[in-house]
Amino acid sequence: MLFYIVFFVVTAIDQISKVWIRAMLKVGESMPFYKDIISFTHYQNTGAAGSSLQGWARYLGIFAVIIVIAIFYYRKKGRLQGVLLQCGAALFAGGAIGNAIERLLFGKVTDFIVFRSGNGIMNVADLAINLGVVCFALDMFFSLRRKGFRKEKTAS
């Protein structure tokens, strides 16, 4: 159940935030959000992260749908066990489908979150995908630690 809640919440927040940005700002227009740390700048990306693969949005959308189907398949087969893996998969799938919706409908993705650090322009889906990857990495780390502790116990 947690998986589906996270998946739908991420997808909904992503889509609502993109509709709001498109209604509030013209493409290229900016507004401050949180002090000088985060601002919103409306940008339309027809490619992938870092503006790579420009013009490939529809293909990337199809690829994202395939990835989401694979995540649902592995979840149904019981291959995604534990809170971190469930949340990571839901965040990743919610973000992927959020961007896929725009890529397939409009041929581009609305990006708008700009961090002062200057590491590109993102959206809620991108943040969810990144957080999902962090959850996967943490699950892998804790899994390896548990296996290491078991080996030490059996060796002594």
Side-chain angles (χ1 to χ4, degrees):
M1 190 64 162
L2 175 66
F3 174 87
Y4 293 107
I5 291 170
V6 172
F7 174 79
F8 286 115
V9 166
V10 165
T11 304
I13 291 172
D14 176 64
Q15 292 302 298
I16 291 166
S17 67
K18 290 172 178 174
V19 167
W20 181 76
I21 284 296
R22 288 192 304 267
M24 296 297 293
L25 299 174
K26 294 177 182 151
V27 175
E29 193 175 8
S30 296
M31 74 177 186
F33 175 69
Y34 181 74
K35 300 183 182 180
D36 286 335
I37 298 171
I38 300 173
S39 65
F40 292 158
T41 299
H42 185 175
Y43 178 74
Q44 296 291 312
N45 183 358
T46 63
S51 296
S52 62
L53 301 173
Q54 289 298 308
W56 288 71
R58 296 220 196 286
Y59 299 109
L60 293 168
I62 293 167
F63 181 68
V65 170
I66 293 168
I67 296 293
V68 171
I69 290 169
I71 290 170
F72 274 81
Y73 173 79
Y74 281 108
R75 185 186 180 285
K76 184 175 171 84
K77 291 291 185 184
R79 305 285 290 280
L80 301 173
Q81 298 293 321
V83 173
L84 276 174
L85 268 183
Q86 290 280 321
C87 284
L91 287 162
F92 194 91
I97 208 70
N99 279 341
I101 290 168
E102 284 205 308
R103 285 184 171 119
L104 295 173
L105 291 178
F106 309 124
K108 56 190 169 195
V109 173
T110 301
D111 288 332
F112 60 93
I113 302 170
V114 181
F115 293 96
R116 185 175 62 162
S117 62
N119 292 342
I121 300 176
M122 305 177 86
N123 57 42
V124 172
D126 298 334
L127 294 173
I129 290 168
N130 286 318
L131 189 54
V133 170
V134 168
C135 287
F136 288 142
L138 286 172
D139 182 76
M140 199 180 315
F141 172 75
F142 291 129
S143 177
L144 290 173
R145 270 190 81 176
R146 281 190 299 273
K147 287 178 185 177
F149 287 137
R150 281 189 217 131
K151 279 185 180 178
E152 286 178 17
K153 273 191 166 182
T154 56
S156 38

